[in-house]
Amino acid sequence: MSVLQTPEKGPVIHDWRPEDPAFWGSSGKLTARRNLWISIPALLLAFAVWMVWSTVIVRLNAIGFSFSTDQLFWLAALPGLSGATLRIFYSFMVPIFGGRRWTALSTASLLIPALWMGFAVQEPSTPYSVFVLIALLCGFGGGNFASSMSNISFFYPKSQQGTALGLNAGLGNLGVSVMQFCVPLVISFGVFGFMGGQPQVLADGSSLWLQNAGFIWVPFILAVTLIAWFGMNDLSSARASFSEQAVIFKRKHNWLMCWLYLATFGSFIGFSAAFPLLIKTSFPEVIALKFAFLGPLVGALVRPLGGWLADKLGGAKVTLWNFVLMIVMVFGVLHFLPKGGEGGSFYGFLGMFMLLFITTGVGNGSTFRMIPVIFRTLHEKAALGKKPEVREQALKNAGKESAAVLGFSSAMGAFGAFFIPKSFGTSMALTGGPEMAFYMFVGFYLSCIVVTWWWYARKGAATPC
C-alpha cells in the first residue's frame, strides 16, 4: 500500500470513524498523522507569508522609501485585516471542497503576494498604494489557518483533538518566528544569483536584497502544494453545505469563544506583527530584527502545551488562569518601557514580553480545545435518552459545528493582527508612547476572565469544559 494512499486506495475516504478504537488503531491513526504532518508545513508557510511585512517594514526606508511610522504600522496591520476577513470564508471551505483540495489551492495562492513583493521592493518608485495591495494579499496566509484547523479537527477523536490542534497550530504558528529569523539572513546576500535581481545599496555602502523576503518562500510553496495534493485526503463524512454550517451563527457559544480567542490568538498574532517596530520605536539603539523572532518562537512552541494541559486539566481552568497571567505580564512590560523617552530596560522589556508571548501560546491551545468539548457536550445533552441513530447523528452534527466554530473563531481572533499594531500606532500618535494601548488590552483580558468563569469554569456552569 502506498504511503500516499488510504486503505481505500484513493484521495477520498468514505469510512471514517475516529471514535471507534478498533478503526483508529488499525488505520485511522496513521492516516490522521499523515494529514497532520502535511498540514503543518503548509500552515507554517501561510504564517510566514502572512506576517512577512512585520520584518520588511523595518528596512523599507533604508533602501530608499520614505514612509512615516504610522504608514509602516499600517503595512504591518493590513495583512491582519484581510487575513481575518478571509478566514470568515475559509472556515467553511473544507466541508464544501474537501481538506486535500482546499489545502493545496490555498497554499498555492501564497505565490501571488510572495512574488509581487519580491518585484515591488526592487523599485524605489513603487507607490505606497501598491505596497498596501500586496500587504492585503498577504492575508491569503492568514485565511489558511481557519481551513487548516477545521480540516484537522475532523481527523482526530475528541480525546486527542487538543493535542492535535495544538500541534497543527503551534508548529504552524512557528512560521512567524521562522520568517522573522530567516528574512534578516536571506536579505543579506544574493540567494538566487542573477535571477534574484540587483541588490539595494544602503547609505553606509553595504548591500541588501530585500526582494528575497518574498522570493525565498516560492520554492517551498510549490513543493508543499504538490505534497498536499498527492498526500492528503478528503473525508466524505465531513462534507456539509454552507447552510448546514451556518447554524453556528445562532449558537451563543460560538460568539463567546470568538471573544476569548480574540484575546489569545489575537494577542499572539498582533504582538508578532507589531513587535519588531515596537522594539525599534521604544528602544532605537537596539537592532530590532536580532530579537523580534524570539516572541513568536516561544508563543508558537508552547501552544501544543496549552492543548495538552487543557486535555489533562480542563480547557476552562487553564484558560481562566492564563488570562490572569496575561494581565500580570502586560504590567511587567509596562514597567520596563522608557518613560518620556528616558529610562526603561530593554532586557527587562524583552523578558516580560517573552512571558507574555508564552501566555498567548498557552491560551491559544486551551481555548481551541474548549470548542469541540463544548459542542459535543451540547449535542450529547440534547440527544440524551433518544434512539442510537439519533445520538450518532448528534455526534456528527457536533463535529461539523465544532469544526465550523474552530474556523470562524480563528477568523475573529485574527483581527488582532490588525487591531494591535494599529492600536500601538494610534497610541504613539496621540500620546507619544504605546502605554495607552497596553491598558486597553488589560481591560479586554479582564472581560475574558469574567466570560470564562461564568459560562465555563465556575461550579454549576451550564457547559463545563
Side-chain angles (χ1 to χ4, degrees), residues 62-281:
I63 64 170
F65 296 94
S66 55
F67 301 138
S68 68
T69 298
D70 192 49
Q71 284 179 312
L72 294 175
F73 267 118
W74 267 108
L75 291 179
L78 286 172
L81 180 63
S82 59
T85 305
L86 285 172
R87 282 189 181 192
I88 296 173
F89 302 99
Y90 278 41
S91 61
F92 301 103
M93 292 298 104
V94 168
I96 295 173
F97 290 97
R100 174 188 66 92
R101 281 180 285 186
W102 187 253
T103 300
L105 178 63
S106 60
T107 300
S109 72
L110 302 176
L111 291 169
I112 301 171
L115 287 168
W116 195 2
M117 172 191 291
F119 291 115
V121 297
Q122 294 183 64
E123 181 50 64
S125 63
T126 301
Y128 182 72
S129 58
V130 170
F131 286 125
V132 167
L133 288 174
I134 299 171
L136 288 169
L137 288 174
C138 283
F140 284 153
N144 286 9
F145 182 81
S147 54
S148 178
M149 296 298 279
S150 173
N151 183 45
I152 293 303
S153 72
F154 286 113
F155 280 95
Y156 280 84
K158 172 188 173 183
S159 62
Q160 298 183 37
Q161 283 185 350
T163 302
L165 292 172
L167 283 170
N168 190 51
L171 298 181
N173 289 172
L174 273 178
V176 182
S177 184
V178 168
M179 178 276 298
Q180 290 182 344
F181 178 79
C182 290
V183 165
L185 297 178
V186 300
I187 64 176
S188 64
F189 64 101
V191 177
F192 300 101
F194 72 92
M195 295 178 62
Q198 296 299 310
Q200 300 90 41
V201 180
L202 306 183
D204 62 3
S206 60
S207 296
L208 203 66
W209 286 260
L210 196 57
Q211 61 266 33
N212 290 348
F215 289 158
I216 193 64
W217 310 110
V218 171
F220 298 103
I221 292 169
L222 290 171
V224 173
T225 296
L226 292 173
I227 293 171
W229 182 263
F230 292 105
M232 295 185 76
N233 298 102
D234 297 317
L235 300 178
S236 61
S237 60
R239 291 293 176 89
S241 65
F242 174 78
S243 60
E244 289 178 282
Q245 300 175 76
V247 69
I248 67 169
F249 297 122
K250 301 177 182 178
R251 306 296 192 206
K252 171 182 65 179
H253 296 285
N254 171 50
W255 300 106
L256 293 175
M257 292 310 300
C258 285
W259 189 255
L260 300 185
Y261 199 60
L262 177 60
T264 54
F265 178 78
S267 294
F268 167 80
I269 202 64
F271 290 145
S272 297
F275 198 39
L277 199 53
L278 187 61
I279 293 174
K280 184 179 180 181
T281 53

